[in-house]
Amino acid sequence: MGIRIVVADDQELVRGAFAMILDNEPDMEVVAEVADGAAAIAAVREHAPDVLVLDIRMPGMDGIEATRRLRGEPVRVLMLTTFGQDDYVYDALRAGASGFLLKDVRRAELVQAVRVVAAGESLLAPAVTTRLIETAVRGQAPPVKPWTGLDRLTPREHEALRLLGRGLTNAEMAATLVVSEHTVKTHVSSVLAKLGLRDRAQAVVAAYESGLVVAGEPPPSGE
């Protein structure tokens, strides 16, 4: 079965170009094109797409609010942004976005990004996500809140979440915890499941909001 996609952008030329590129792929189908966040929500609920390609800034309801309202829907959100909007990244990740693309992305990169997100992965590498969040929250600590399920994490899973927040790869986490990468993958999967997170990018947000990681704080010795 192909990847079903909704494209939402208030710029008609951008929206049309992205839709045409994606719809020309043999394993993809653009089921709707819309111009604002409210229409994006309606399209997702009507067509049940796998991926929503969504502009981060639109008149009326923006992409962040639309993503927030779609958190209970089984759709992956790929956010479109322009250079210099790093301050929106943290809010978008909190809302449930699974990745980000610049609007001047190349054709092949757009197609690959949709495939990555549709497969259940986050588009940004954890380390990149961490740097973006550091930039976005520098000078203002994110609100610390009790994440549902945090108390159900084992000590190892708790440590795995902290290392995810630091942007470590599976290999780096395995070296730090002195375990195999297979064991790390098991810990990560358990953390995501217990906290109701979609992917590693969301785990970075959880690590910040739970207070496990503080923006600007140097990593402890050994990481």
Side-chain angles (χ1 to χ4, degrees):
M1 183 180 295
I3 301 170
R4 293 166 56 81
I5 305 160
V6 168
V7 178
D9 194 300
D10 62 305
Q11 295 179 295
E12 184 177 359
L13 289 178
V14 173
R15 184 175 70 246
F18 277 35
M20 180 181 66
I21 290 171
L22 297 172
D23 207 41
N24 281 335
E25 292 297 312
D27 61 336
M28 297 183 184
E29 178 188 5
V30 174
V31 295
E33 298 176 45
V34 297
D36 58 55
I41 292 173
V44 166
R45 291 173 176 166
E46 177 181 354
H47 299 285
D50 303 294
V51 177
L52 169 60
V53 180
L54 180 65
D55 188 9
I56 201 168
R57 297 190 70 184
M58 293 179 288
M61 185 188 297
D62 64 17
I64 294 175
E65 180 59 25
T67 301
R68 187 177 294 117
R69 296 191 187 190
L70 287 169
R71 289 200 70 160
E73 305 286 341
V75 62
R76 309 277 296 180
V77 177
L78 180 58
M79 200 73 81
L80 298 174
T81 184
T82 55
F83 182 76
Q85 291 185 338
D86 287 356
D87 53 330
Y88 290 96
V89 170
Y90 183 67
D91 286 339
L93 285 171
R94 288 182 67 200
S98 295
F100 297 86
L101 276 180
L102 291 177
K103 283 194 176 182
D104 60 358
V105 64
R106 296 182 179 182
R107 176 190 297 259
E109 294 172 335
L110 170 63
V111 171
Q112 178 61 18
V114 169
R115 290 196 176 113
V116 167
V117 170
E121 301 294 331
S122 54
L123 186 62
L124 288 176
V128 175
T129 306
T130 301
R131 286 198 297 273
L132 287 171
I133 290 180
E134 289 273 3
T135 299
V137 305
R138 186 168 292 128
Q140 54 175 6
V144 175
K145 68 176 185 180
W147 273 76
T148 302
L150 195 64
D151 58 346
R152 296 195 292 117
L153 299 183
T154 66
R156 274 299 199 189
E157 291 165 354
H158 197 272
E159 181 66 6
L161 176 59
R162 188 179 68 86
L163 297 179
L164 282 171
R166 290 290 185 193
L168 272 65
T169 64
N170 283 348
E172 292 167 336
M173 290 173 66
T176 300
L177 297 174
V178 195
V179 297
S180 68
E181 287 192 47
H182 176 75
T183 299
V184 166
K185 291 178 181 178
T186 299
H187 288 329
V188 171
S189 295
S190 183
V191 167
L192 298 182
K194 288 182 179 180
L195 298 185
L197 304 172
R198 294 189 179 191
D199 48 43
R200 295 171 71 105
Q202 290 285 293
V204 173
V205 174
Y208 273 81
E209 291 196 340
S210 63
L212 289 176
V213 177
V214 178
E217 181 179 69
S221 176
E223 286 187 24

